[in-house]
Amino acid sequence: MRSLVSTLRSAPAALTRSRADRRARAVCPVDSWAFAPAYTDGRCPLCGWAPQGYVYSPPLLTPYDRYWAAMAGIAAISVIMLIAVVIAFSRG
């Protein structure tokens, strides 16, 4: 019970921390390149240096591929239209 309460209390802090991480900026000491670690998988895009203390967590739907969802939606709508046309011709 105690761990559940501590988890619920720390949830708003975790959300605030993840929002702050999206705006975080880092400067690579190797090549002096300023970058946002949230958009480069937590590493410098030029040399691969990772800032200490920054924990990269990808967005929730990163592995979700929109192409296949769109194809499934188009297929479902096509089947629904096929059923509607068959019903319309059979009654008419």
Side-chain angles (χ1 to χ4, degrees):
M1 180 70 173
R2 183 174 288 212
S3 64
L4 177 62
V5 172
S6 64
T7 303
L8 291 176
R9 286 184 184 162
S10 66
L15 290 174
T16 304
R17 189 173 35 234
S18 71
R19 274 190 240 125
D21 287 346
R22 277 187 251 138
R23 292 179 286 195
R25 303 279 299 166
V27 178
C28 179
V30 176
D31 49 24
S32 300
W33 184 265
F35 64 97
Y39 301 112
T40 59
D41 295 334
R43 299 193 167 277
C44 174
L46 300 177
C47 68
W49 171 80
Q52 288 183 352
Y54 182 83
V55 178
Y56 173 71
S57 59
L60 182 63
L61 295 176
T62 297
Y64 177 70
D65 191 9
R66 291 182 183 160
Y67 173 78
W68 292 111
M71 294 307 290
I74 291 171
I77 290 172
S78 297
V79 169
I80 290 170
M81 290 300 292
L82 175 69
I83 292 170
V85 167
V86 168
I87 290 172
F89 276 126
S90 67
R91 290 187 180 180

